[in-house]
Amino acid sequence: MTDASAAPPRPIRLIATDLDGTLLHDDKTVSDRTIAALAAAEAAGIEVFFVTGRPARWMDVVSDHVHGHGLAICANGAAVVDLHRGSRFVEVSPLDQGVALDVVHALRDAAPGTTFAVERTGGIHYEPQYPPFFLDPAAVIAPAEKLLAEGFAASPAPDPADGPGTDGPYATDSDMPELGTAGATRAHSDAGTSDQPVLKLLAHHPDLDPDAFLALARTTAGHLASFTRSSPTALLEISGPGVSKAGTLAHCCAERGISPEEVVAFGDMPNDIEMLTWAGTSYAMANAHPDVLAATTRRTESNNDDGVAVVIERILQGR
């Protein structure tokens, strides 16, 4: 095991970093030290890619800190967005709606009590019992079969005063910050039609252990889609077959003539593991999930102690 005091063994041309639990502090902010380190890396000719499970509409926290290309990888690799142009979608790798519905049926049979949300390019929609992360007046609240139906069209959700089912308990997810209603309305102002591809299907279970739920889902429906998780709760993130942070990052690097050996990556949760094992050099945060610690040989400080900045500073000192 190597700590952050040792610089990577190869020249680095690209830094790939997760956000929540990795680059961001627990309060979802970017520290001044990290901002300075990112800027210094770009000034030294090292490209920086933010690679996150977050949707494009939740990238404001880092949009001022990406330089050069302006691109970020969102939704666990399902989307590449341009942060210099208001998080405009550049590339999308969608989850087929029919396949998503097959997954819904398989998980309902394997884990009764599972509820679902559908993340489209225009916003998120969810089932009545799914625990929303904020009250979103632009979301459709309906059974997954309706949310994934051909011809689905988003419309404003019922007013909570009209009855139950629109204001379920909040859940905590490392890649999904709690937003106020005003922010949610702005984020979903362009939602509304079925031509918005499905980026992720989200599956939540109120009782199962998170890792056990992931293992069960992969055993039950892993032939249909890609399953991962980044939340401390039993919340699964489901993408199209083969879609991952690693695959999209590899594509972006290939376009730039950058090899895996020239990439250093940072992460903390199971949705980072493929990226961390693909990169030539990878660091697990001190606060990382046990599976991430087992998949990497290098460690850095925790997210709250600016672990990413610590390594970037070391890389730049060694150039």
Side-chain angles (χ1 to χ4, degrees), residues 4 24 76-77 90 136 141 143 146 204 258 298:
L24 305 183
N76 290 329
V90 176
D136 186 346
I141 301 174
K146 177 179 179 179
H204 177 268
I258 297 175
R298 291 174 176 264

Side-chain angles (χ1 to χ4, degrees), residues 189-216:
S189 60
D190 61 347
T193 65
S194 59
D195 61 0
Q196 297 171 355
V198 176
L199 295 179
K200 289 196 297 185
L201 178 68
L202 300 168
H204 177 268
H205 199 281
D207 302 315
L208 290 177
D209 171 81
D211 290 323
F213 190 28
L214 177 59
L216 174 64

Side-chain angles (χ1 to χ4, degrees), residues 54-116:
R54 285 186 176 217
R57 65 186 182 279
W58 288 348
M59 295 299 287
D60 286 355
V61 66
V62 292
S63 59
D64 291 337
H65 310 308
V66 64
H67 307 275
H69 56 79
L71 301 180
I73 296 171
C74 295
N76 290 329
V80 178
V81 303
D82 187 343
L83 298 184
H84 287 170
R85 300 180 65 184
S87 294
R88 181 181 67 87
F89 288 94
V90 176
E91 295 181 17
V92 174
S93 299
L95 173 63
D96 178 82
Q97 291 189 168
V99 171
L101 193 54
D102 288 341
V103 171
V104 167
H105 294 154
L107 291 187
R108 278 188 177 150
D109 288 342
T114 301
T115 55
F116 298 90

Side-chain angles (χ1 to χ4, degrees), residues 3 8 26 65 82 112 126-127 148 159 177 187 201 210 218 264 284 293 307:
D3 65 25
D26 286 347
H65 310 308
D82 187 343
Y126 40 83
E127 294 193 301
L148 293 168
D159 189 306
L201 178 68
R218 286 175 170 171
V264 60
L293 296 172

Side-chain angles (χ1 to χ4, degrees), residues 73 76-80 91 93 242-253:
I73 296 171
N76 290 329
V80 178
E91 295 181 17
S93 299
V243 174
S244 69
K245 289 185 176 186
T248 303
L249 177 62
H251 174 69
C252 291
C253 287

Side-chain angles (χ1 to χ4, degrees), residues 4-291:
S5 64
R10 305 175 184 87
I12 297 299
R13 294 178 58 193
L14 187 141
I15 293 166
T17 178
D18 174 51
L19 295 183
D20 299 274
T22 300
L23 187 80
L24 305 183
H25 284 192
D26 286 347
D27 64 1
K28 308 302 181 184
T29 62
V30 188
S31 72
D32 290 342
R33 181 180 183 180
T34 296
I35 291 171
L38 295 173
E42 294 276 8
I46 301 174
E47 295 193 64
V48 176
F49 265 81
F50 301 127
V51 188
T52 178
R54 285 186 176 217
R57 65 186 182 279
W58 288 348
M59 295 299 287
D60 286 355
V61 66
V62 292
S63 59
D64 291 337
H65 310 308
V66 64
H67 307 275
H69 56 79
L71 301 180
I73 296 171
C74 295
N76 290 329
V80 178
V81 303
D82 187 343
L83 298 184
H84 287 170
R85 300 180 65 184
S87 294
R88 181 181 67 87
F89 288 94
V90 176
E91 295 181 17
V92 174
S93 299
L95 173 63
D96 178 82
Q97 291 189 168
V99 171
L101 193 54
D102 288 341
V103 171
V104 167
H105 294 154
L107 291 187
R108 278 188 177 150
D109 288 342
T114 301
T115 55
F116 298 90
V118 178
E119 177 71 53
R120 293 180 178 269
T121 52
I124 192 168
H125 310 284
Y126 40 83
E127 294 193 301
Q129 299 308 314
Y130 181 86
F133 301 102
F134 50 82
L135 297 180
D136 186 346
V140 169
I141 301 174
E145 287 78 3
K146 177 179 179 179
L147 301 179
L148 293 168
E150 292 297 330
F152 163 80
S155 59
D159 189 306
D162 293 338
T166 61
D167 58 347
Y170 284 28
T172 301
D173 179 57
S174 61
D175 279 344
M176 296 182 179
E178 294 180 5
L179 300 178
T181 300
T185 302
R186 181 180 64 254
H188 293 286
S189 60
D190 61 347
T193 65
S194 59
D195 61 0
Q196 297 171 355
V198 176
L199 295 179
K200 289 196 297 185
L201 178 68
L202 300 168
H204 177 268
H205 199 281
D207 302 315
L208 290 177
D209 171 81
D211 290 323
F213 190 28
L214 177 59
L216 174 64
R218 286 175 170 171
T219 299
T220 302
H223 62 290
L224 297 173
S226 297
F227 291 79
T228 191
R229 57 173 289 260
S230 61
S231 171
T233 64
L235 178 64
L236 305 184
E237 301 165 62
I238 305 159
S239 305
V243 174
S244 69
K245 289 185 176 186
T248 303
L249 177 62
H251 174 69
C252 291
C253 287
E255 289 182 330
R256 291 160 173 75
I258 297 175
S259 69
E261 291 73 24
E262 297 171 304
V263 177
V264 60
F266 301 87
D268 73 305
M269 287 296 283
N271 65 329
D272 297 315
I273 290 175
E274 290 170 299
M275 176 178 73
L276 295 172
T277 55
W278 175 84
T281 304
S282 59
Y283 289 84
M285 311 305 291
N287 51 286
H289 185 281
D291 288 352

